[in-house]
Amino acid sequence: MPSSPLASVLFVCVHNAGRSQMAAGFLNHLAGDRIEVRSAGSVPGDQVNPAAVEAMREAGVDISEARPKILTTEAVQASDYVITMGCGDACPVFPGKKYLDWALEDPAGKGVEAVRPIRDEIRRRVEALIAEIDAQQKA
C-alpha cells in the first residue's frame, strides 16, 4: 500500500448531489486510500439526491453522510484528474491536469428505478478510471 495516494480525482457536476456523489462514493469504495477523492458542484444543492443515496446503498456503498460542496479553484489545483458531468464552463482549467467529461444523464428528480442505470454506468467508468490510474503507475 503506497504511503501517499497514486492520484487525486475531482468529480464535478452542477449540484454535487447525484452523479458526482455516486462517482466519489464508488471511487472511495473501490480504490480505498490508494486514490484521493473529491467532489464538488458549480451550484451545490441542499442535499444529496435521496434516490442516488438509495441506489448506492443497493450497490453496497453508503453516501448518506455526503454533503454537496462548492467547486473551488483550490480543489481543481489539488487534483490530477478533473471529471466533469455537465457543469459546462463553470470548471476552471489548469495546465497539467487530465480533464474528462462524462456525459451522463442527470438523476435529479428521478426515482431510484431511473437512477440505477446511471449508477451502473458510473461504476463502469470509475472501474475503468482506476484501471487507467493503476496502468500509469506501472508504466
Side-chain angles (χ1 to χ4, degrees), residues 49-56 58 110-117 119:
N49 179 337
V53 172
E54 175 62 18
M56 291 297 286
E58 291 175 358
K110 295 179 172 39
V112 70
E113 302 81 21
V115 174
R116 286 182 189 122
R119 172 203 64 202

Side-chain angles (χ1 to χ4, degrees), residues 28-114:
N28 273 320
H29 180 74
L30 297 169
D33 60 1
R34 295 184 321 113
I35 298 173
E36 185 178 22
V37 182
R38 296 179 180 83
S39 71
S42 50
V43 184
D46 295 328
Q47 66 178 15
V48 174
N49 179 337
V53 172
E54 175 62 18
M56 291 297 286
R57 186 193 61 72
E58 291 175 358
V61 180
D62 182 6
I63 62 168
S64 64
E65 296 299 314
R67 297 290 173 258
K69 295 170 285 309
I70 186 73
L71 175 64
T72 65
T73 300
E74 294 78 21
V76 177
Q77 288 176 314
S79 301
D80 301 309
Y81 290 79
V82 179
I83 300 172
T84 57
M85 304 172 185
C87 74
D89 296 331
C91 193
V93 175
F94 293 97
K97 310 292 175 195
K98 179 157 187 175
Y99 290 87
L100 301 171
D101 185 50
W102 289 359
L104 295 162
E105 187 178 349
D106 188 348
K110 295 179 172 39
V112 70
E113 302 81 21

